[in-house]
Amino acid sequence: MFTQSIYHTIQRYRTLRTNRITSLPIVILMPHSACNCRCVMCDIWKGNNNPKQLTKANVEALLGTLKKLETREVVMSGGEALLNPNFFALCRLLKNEKIKVTLLSTGILLKKHAASLVEWVDNIIVSLDGDETVHDQIRNTPGAYRKLSEGIEHVRSGNPHFRITGRTVIHRLNFRHWPGIIKSAGELGLNQISFLPADVSSQAFNREQGWDQTRQQEILPGKEELTELNLIIQFLFQEFEPLFKSGFIAESQAKLEKIYTYYAAFYGLNPFPYKKCNAPWVSTVVEADGTVRPCFFHKALGNIHENSLSAILNSPEAINFRKNLDMSTNDTCIKCVCYLNLPPGKNLAT
């Protein structure tokens, strides 16, 4: 195991140096394209009338590449991954290869699948938008909070120590409720809560075209609201200091302040905050229709229905993309809200 770990680390360094993928620690799969919420800051649900899904055969075909590149973790994203009727068959394939499975979920179907989740998934990250009233309003889904709460309870009844964390997109419609979100995370029994700003500029999340200014302003805090946003962030540091120290709030104070500077950048008040990211070198995204992307936000590299994942990742076009990607000048990277920086020596096999 020690020798394999050193080899894996060397391969990760080699990938960063050569731009050729020789190690792929993280893979994001989207088992189903549809979603069971209609969130105000997301357009995924608008494609529910034409759903796509990954099949067992699709994932079986990926296993050779995942084994060769020593993938440590597969993140099941979406849409809502649990809408795929073969979701747990996909998990079994991965777990049989000793690959860690993380589920990103709305939480609505956790109760229904609690026993299987405990058996086949390693941890769950749920979306949390506010207290019960705010959460249901932003999700546009009556009862979403109640179902989330019941789902967490049922999973924990199967395994009291099962790790369930929360992730909140902070935006115009919920930033004033930020203290309540933290309290709700505690009441739900989450192990941790993290925060990020809303993506309003990319074509991710089922946007055929980027949002126009009118649509952006529905989610962006207004320029006149930025002072209030900053005051709330400063209040969090005082009110919830023990939760920052304990790690219940995942971000440091400096990282939370970047949510303010991110939104302020849209009004030219400061540059977009600096992000150190190596996602295209350490991960990839495979969407429900087979589309392969270097991350959620950049253009497609290919499709697993046409080429193997290995061939797509190391095609001349993909290598050239990574070689020439300057994150300090690339507009997609500059405005990115969800980035990954995985040092070569960090071990995901936990």
Side-chain angles (χ1 to χ4, degrees), residues 189-225:
L190 297 178
N191 295 100
Q192 189 180 60
I193 184 72
S194 65
F195 302 97
L196 71 162
D199 170 50
V200 300
S201 60
S202 81
Q203 291 182 282
F205 311 114
N206 196 42
R207 301 169 188 160
E208 292 186 4
Q209 296 181 342
W211 284 349
D212 60 25
Q213 189 173 11
T214 299
R215 182 70 176 94
Q216 288 184 358
Q217 289 300 321
E218 293 175 8
I219 302 302
L220 284 176
K223 186 176 182 180
E224 71 285 356
E225 296 174 308

Side-chain angles (χ1 to χ4, degrees), residues 38-290:
R38 300 166 62 89
C39 300
V40 296
M41 64 286 187
C42 178
D43 291 339
I44 288 176
W45 57 272
K46 293 182 179 180
N48 284 0
N49 60 343
N50 186 29
K52 305 289 191 305
Q53 63 183 31
L54 294 175
T55 66
K56 185 178 178 182
N58 294 152
V59 176
E60 286 175 333
L62 295 176
L63 290 180
T65 297
L66 303 192
K67 289 162 66 175
K68 177 183 177 182
L69 299 179
E70 293 191 319
T71 297
R72 302 294 209 234
E73 179 178 1
V74 166
V75 179
M76 298 293 206
S77 185
E80 173 54 63
L82 289 173
L83 290 174
N84 188 316
N86 295 309
F87 175 78
F88 292 105
L90 307 186
C91 292
R92 281 193 292 272
L93 289 171
L94 298 167
K95 296 294 287 181
N96 287 342
E97 298 298 333
K98 296 181 171 46
I99 296 174
K100 178 181 177 182
V101 176
T102 293
L103 170 65
L104 305 184
S105 177
T106 65
I108 289 176
L109 294 174
L110 296 187
K111 178 179 177 180
K112 177 179 179 181
H113 298 293
S116 295
L117 287 166
V118 169
E119 183 176 5
W120 295 108
V121 173
D122 292 280
N123 62 82
I124 299 171
I125 303 172
V126 296
S127 300
L128 178 64
D129 297 298
D131 60 19
E132 183 167 8
T133 300
V134 175
H135 182 83
D136 288 2
Q137 287 176 346
I138 290 176
R139 298 263 126 189
N140 272 319
T141 308
Y145 187 95
R146 175 181 54 81
K147 291 175 182 176
L148 169 61
S149 179
E150 292 175 351
I152 293 170
E153 182 180 349
H154 275 71
V155 171
R156 289 274 172 69
S157 69
N159 178 358
H161 304 292
F162 193 97
R163 183 171 174 80
I164 306 176
T165 60
R167 182 175 295 171
T168 301
V169 178
I170 294 292
H171 49 77
R172 186 174 201 168
L173 303 179
N174 69 355
F175 78 86
R176 294 183 177 88
H177 302 276
W178 206 334
I181 295 170
I182 295 173
K183 292 176 182 177
S184 293
E187 292 168 358
L188 289 168
L190 297 178
N191 295 100
Q192 189 180 60
I193 184 72
S194 65
F195 302 97
L196 71 162
D199 170 50
V200 300
S201 60
S202 81
Q203 291 182 282
F205 311 114
N206 196 42
R207 301 169 188 160
E208 292 186 4
Q209 296 181 342
W211 284 349
D212 60 25
Q213 189 173 11
T214 299
R215 182 70 176 94
Q216 288 184 358
Q217 289 300 321
E218 293 175 8
I219 302 302
L220 284 176
K223 186 176 182 180
E224 71 285 356
E225 296 174 308
L226 291 176
T227 299
E228 185 179 2
L229 171 61
N230 192 37
L231 288 173
I232 289 173
I233 292 173
Q234 302 310 313
F235 171 79
L236 298 179
F237 300 155
Q238 299 174 16
E239 182 73 8
F240 300 104
E241 182 180 4
L243 300 185
F244 282 96
K245 290 182 176 179
S246 69
F248 180 77
I249 297 175
E251 288 78 19
S252 65
Q253 295 183 8
K255 284 188 177 180
L256 278 197
E257 287 177 334
K258 288 184 177 180
I259 293 180
Y260 164 79
T261 56
Y262 178 82
Y263 284 131
F266 278 95
Y267 301 99
L269 301 179
N270 51 246
F272 283 93
Y274 170 76
K275 295 170 282 289
K276 188 175 182 180
C277 178
N278 60 6
W281 290 265
V282 300
S283 67
T284 194
V285 176
V286 181
E287 297 181 352
D289 64 355

Side-chain angles (χ1 to χ4, degrees), residues 19-21 23-24 27 65-66 69 280 283-285 292-294 301 308-319 322:
N19 298 299
R20 182 176 181 84
I21 302 294
S23 172
L24 191 66
V27 171
T65 297
L66 303 192
L69 299 179
S283 67
T284 194
V285 176
V292 176
R293 298 182 187 275
L301 299 173
S308 71
L309 179 61
S310 180
I312 293 169
L313 293 176
N314 285 319
S315 68
E317 293 78 13
I319 292 173
R322 290 187 289 271

